[in-house]
Amino acid sequence: MPKMKTKKAAAKRFSFTGTGKIKYKKMNLRHILTKKSAKRKMHLRHAGILSEDSAKVIRSQLLPYGN
């Protein structure tokens, strides 16, 4: 069988933690930042962790060799 291809768009957006969870960068921190509170921007800086339901799809279809 040929190798499965990794979806490169997904590879650029998601990464794996050491325990196998999937990290992603949160949205809404690119422009129009003046109207957003400092607290909101502070929380958006940190990486998010995908729920296990969503992670299953990413892991199997988009990043088959990720983990």
Side-chain angles (χ1 to χ4, degrees):
M1 286 297 295
K3 293 180 183 178
M4 292 174 67
K5 285 191 174 180
T6 296
K7 297 283 191 277
K8 297 313 274 184
K12 291 169 190 172
R13 287 166 176 78
F14 301 106
S15 61
F16 290 92
T17 63
T19 55
K21 295 176 182 173
I22 298 180
K23 284 192 310 186
Y24 66 95
K25 179 165 174 32
K26 294 180 183 173
M27 63 178 187
N28 290 327
L29 199 60
R30 292 295 183 193
H31 63 106
I32 316 175
L33 298 175
T34 51
K35 64 174 74 171
K36 295 170 188 161
S37 69
K39 180 181 179 180
R40 181 174 168 192
K41 289 186 282 190
M42 179 182 66
H43 287 298
L44 289 173
R45 276 183 221 132
H46 305 294
I49 301 290
L50 274 184
S51 67
E52 198 46 48
D53 295 334
S54 303
K56 225 175 268 184
V57 174
I58 300 292
R59 210 176 278 122
S60 64
Q61 294 176 359
L62 304 180
L63 300 172
Y65 298 109
N67 200 2

